[in-house]
Amino acid sequence: MKLCIRPHDIGTNTTAAELGRKIHELGFYGVQLAIAKAIKGQNGAPGTLTPQVIQEIRSGFNDNGVEIPILGAYFNPVHSNKAVVTAGQAKFADHLAKAKEFGALYVASETGSYNDEPWTYNPRNQTEEAFAEVTGVFAPLADAARQAGSFLSAEGAWHHCIYCPKQMQRFLKELDNGFVRTTVDLFNYLCIDNYERRYDIFHECLDLFGDKIVIFHIKDFVPENGELVEVGLGKGIMGWDKLLPEIRRELPDALLVFEGVHDLQESLTYWASL
């Protein structure tokens, strides 16, 4: 399976070539690239991704043997300032239009929170109002994905508006036009009240929309003082020794992305042992 990482977990405000060298040395296949968070002098806004800029970024990774299968254009679709939402939509649509020039298949986002920043739990997130607002914002982006021949990949999270696998199934059905997919970050679907059911939640994702899963985010955690705290891979209780064989069997083409992984070298050693 193809293992990726977010470049801004390796370095920020630097060049694609420098990131590409470091990521290749670590042994990753590719990246989930959030341009504004990683590349010096670039914010990824519409109009800034000229052919020259795209070629420089793509070459910086590709010339070092690193692919760019995923672009990150995360934005909050229920932000109280609708100008922020409109700007996020525009950036996401532009990334969809340019994805193939980067060699990317997918453009990814989460589904936001009525807490503008950070995107933390708000009871309003888990309402029909939230579902309707989020699907309304992403519907034109699903159309933009179809027109571009790229794929929108939405990521659910317990503290966001698409907060559980059943809601993600609804979201995918609502927007289905052949170009809408999903990222599963199992950690993000968990909270202190449900983490002991993590294997059930994982299987619920496979059962409800397994054919739409294209990306898995890889994390580990421990419960601590009433919260879930991320730790290095293999140092927590997620149970990747149980989960990874199922992913290999059921979704061998899915991309696996280290996201904010602690103790990177030790985590890579652990991952290689699975």
Side-chain angles (χ1 to χ4, degrees):
M1 302 188 74
K2 294 175 178 176
L3 190 63
C4 303
I5 193 169
R6 301 185 310 182
H8 61 275
D9 289 332
I10 300 298
T12 59
N13 196 34
T14 185
T15 66
E18 179 62 20
L19 289 167
R21 283 192 291 272
K22 291 179 179 178
I23 290 166
H24 176 73
E25 288 172 3
L26 289 166
F28 289 95
Y29 159 81
V31 295
Q32 177 174 316
L33 174 62
I35 294 167
K37 292 183 177 182
I39 307 300
K40 184 177 182 179
Q42 298 297 328
N43 63 15
T48 66
L49 298 179
T50 64
Q52 180 179 355
V53 168
I54 293 172
Q55 181 58 38
E56 182 177 341
I57 293 172
R58 182 173 183 176
S59 295
F61 287 102
N62 289 178
D63 290 354
N64 284 288
V66 177
E67 299 298 320
I68 311 173
I70 313 160
L71 296 177
Y74 286 51
F75 73 104
N76 187 351
V78 296
H79 197 285
S80 61
N81 184 341
K82 297 313 172 189
V84 172
V85 177
T86 299
Q89 282 180 303
K91 182 175 180 178
F92 197 99
D94 190 59
H95 276 51
L96 285 166
K98 305 287 175 52
K100 289 184 177 179
E101 296 176 52
F102 285 93
L105 289 171
Y106 310 109
V107 181
S109 180
E110 293 174 329
T111 61
S113 168
Y114 284 102
N115 293 341
D116 289 345
E117 191 68 35
W119 304 351
T120 49
Y121 172 76
N122 183 315
R124 192 177 166 197
N125 294 346
Q126 299 188 3
T127 62
E128 284 300 301
E129 172 197 14
F131 182 82
E133 188 167 356
V134 169
T135 53
V137 169
F138 276 101
L141 297 176
D143 290 339
R146 178 179 52 79
Q147 292 167 13
S150 304
F151 291 89
L152 181 164
S153 187
E155 178 183 344
W158 181 85
H159 48 291
H160 293 172
C161 291
I162 303 301
Y163 60 91
C164 68
K166 288 182 179 177
Q167 288 293 87
M168 179 55 74
Q169 181 190 38
R170 287 184 64 198
F171 177 90
L172 294 170
K173 286 185 174 180
E174 182 85 9
L175 298 183
D176 186 26
N177 65 358
F179 290 87
V180 180
R181 299 290 187 267
T182 187
T183 298
V184 170
D185 185 324
L186 183 56
F187 175 79
N188 279 2
Y189 277 126
L190 304 182
C191 66
I192 196 65
D193 296 320
N194 73 3
Y195 74 89
E196 293 181 340
R197 295 184 51 251
R198 60 194 176 278
Y199 300 123
D200 293 336
I201 294 169
F202 172 77
H203 290 119
E204 192 175 11
C205 292
L206 295 184
D207 293 342
L208 293 179
F209 46 80
D211 60 331
K212 295 292 192 293
I213 301 171
V214 292
I215 300 161
F216 285 94
H217 283 168
I218 309 302
K219 300 174 181 174
D220 209 338
F221 75 97
V222 294
E224 187 175 287
N225 299 323
E227 298 182 350
L228 304 184
V229 179
E230 292 185 56
V231 296
L233 300 183
K235 295 182 177 180
I237 65 169
M238 184 67 86
W240 284 109
D241 56 332
K242 297 179 182 178
L243 297 171
L244 184 58
E246 292 201 52
I247 295 173
R248 284 174 172 151
R249 183 176 65 249
E250 301 294 333
L251 294 164
D253 295 327
L255 296 162
L256 309 179
V257 180
F258 277 27
E259 185 181 56
V261 169
H262 295 230
D263 307 316
L264 184 55
Q265 288 289 356
E266 291 180 44
S267 292
L268 279 167
T269 298
Y270 164 78
W271 198 256
S273 72
L274 297 178

